């Protein structure tokens, strides 16, 4: 299942990674590790998340991923590919990935496919993750990390866990799929959870032929 672009964590590595998360004194780092490991969200989905995506029902915490979201994460020098020649010294401009999409006519982040527009539930049993989300929601308008920043914090956690390897958001996405398969989720359920357009990629996590 491992490929050039991702290498899921083994169960033993997951345990070490979660211990590093629990011991981290950097809240946004702990949030990033916990959230991506237990939701399987894509990096772009996570780092464009807004408090408005979060809701609750009687038992669960819900993440509602929209079709598109205005990107205001840009900061720093203009850099290469800034077609609109904007001043990007302050937050409020689109991030590098959003502003450099050649097909894009606006400054919105967009879900990769219609299937990616979905609701992800988080059980109340994940109390630490819910507390971190509450902390973030009280203090931020969006995730204060870039695509690269997300992977930076994941690699810091990997170092602290003694994994002797890099860990990316994509690695955790596939790790989450493997965890669901071991818990008995069917391929259709995993397809919906991870936002795949077809059943085939979800089938790699389970022997269920549906």
């Amino acid at each position: 299942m491992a490929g050039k672009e991702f290498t899921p964590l083994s169960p033993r590595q997951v345990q070490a990674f979660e211990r590093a998360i629990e011991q981290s004194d950097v809240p946004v780092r702990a949030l990033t590790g916990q959230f991506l490991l237990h939701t399987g969200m894509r990096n772009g989905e996570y780092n464009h998340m807004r408090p408005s995506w979060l809701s609750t029902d009687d038992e669960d915490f819900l993440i509602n991923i929209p079709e598109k979201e205005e990107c205001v994460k840009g900061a720093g020098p203009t850099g290469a590919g800034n077609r609109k020649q904007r001043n990007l010294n302050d937050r409020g401009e689109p991030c590098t990935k959003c502003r450099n999409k050649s097909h894009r006519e606006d400054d919105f982040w967009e879900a990769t496919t219609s299937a990616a527009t979905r609701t992800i539930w988080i059980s109340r049993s994940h109390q630490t993750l819910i507390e971190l989300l509450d902390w973030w929601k009280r203090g931020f308008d969006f995730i204060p990390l870039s695509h690269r920043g997300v992977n930076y914090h994941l690699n810091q956690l990997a170092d602290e866990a003694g994994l002797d390897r890099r860990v990316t958001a994509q690695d955790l996405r596939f790790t989450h799929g493997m965890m669901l398969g071991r818990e008995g989720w069917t391929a259709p359920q995993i397809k919906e959870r991870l936002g795949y357009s077809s059943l085939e990629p979800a089938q790699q996590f389970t022997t269920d032929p549906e």
Side-chain angles (χ1 to χ4, degrees), residues 51 131-144:
E131 289 174 358
L132 285 166
L133 284 168
D134 283 338
W135 161 80
W136 166 71
K137 188 175 180 180
R138 289 194 303 269
F140 297 91
D141 293 328
F142 49 81
I143 293 293

Side-chain angles (χ1 to χ4, degrees), residues 3-14:
K4 292 182 178 180
E5 296 184 358
F6 65 91
T7 306
L9 302 183
S10 69
R12 182 173 295 181
Q13 289 176 326
V14 168

Side-chain angles (χ1 to χ4, degrees), residues 98-114:
C98 287
R99 73 176 184 263
N100 289 346
K101 293 289 186 180
S102 60
H103 67 279
R104 195 148 301 158
E105 296 181 358
D106 57 31
D107 299 324
F108 281 69
W109 165 85
E110 295 180 356
T112 54
T113 67
S114 59

Side-chain angles (χ1 to χ4, degrees), residues 15-156:
Q15 292 178 351
F17 192 76
E18 291 202 285
R19 283 196 298 270
I21 292 171
E22 292 172 1
Q23 296 168 4
S24 176
D25 57 1
V26 183
V28 72
R29 181 173 300 165
L31 172 63
T32 300
Q34 277 267 9
F35 192 85
L36 294 178
L37 181 62
H38 292 292
T39 67
M41 277 175 61
R42 298 173 175 90
N43 194 332
E45 294 170 344
Y46 173 67
N47 68 52
H48 285 88
M49 186 170 67
R50 297 288 190 87
S52 60
W53 294 20
L54 277 58
S55 62
T56 59
D57 64 13
D58 291 339
E59 298 182 357
D60 298 321
F61 207 87
L62 306 177
I63 311 296
N64 305 291
I65 302 177
E67 179 182 353
K68 61 194 306 185
E69 181 70 73
E70 184 178 11
C71 179
V72 293
K73 298 178 65 65
T78 56
N82 180 21
R83 301 189 314 279
K84 299 179 183 179
Q85 296 300 308
R86 288 179 168 156
N87 178 359
L88 301 178
N89 291 321
D90 297 311
R91 293 284 182 183
E93 298 289 351
C95 69
T96 301
K97 285 186 173 292
C98 287
R99 73 176 184 263
N100 289 346
K101 293 289 186 180
S102 60
H103 67 279
R104 195 148 301 158
E105 296 181 358
D106 57 31
D107 299 324
F108 281 69
W109 165 85
E110 295 180 356
T112 54
T113 67
S114 59
T117 302
R118 64 199 189 279
T119 297
I120 299 174
W121 60 268
I122 300 173
S123 170
R124 290 284 181 182
S125 64
H126 289 295
Q127 188 59 39
T128 299
L129 175 53
I130 290 174
E131 289 174 358
L132 285 166
L133 284 168
D134 283 338
W135 161 80
W136 166 71
K137 188 175 180 180
R138 289 194 303 269
F140 297 91
D141 293 328
F142 49 81
I143 293 293
L145 297 175
S146 65
H147 191 283
R148 182 178 297 179
V150 168
N151 286 330
Y152 167 79
H153 282 287
L154 296 181
N155 279 303
Q156 292 296 304

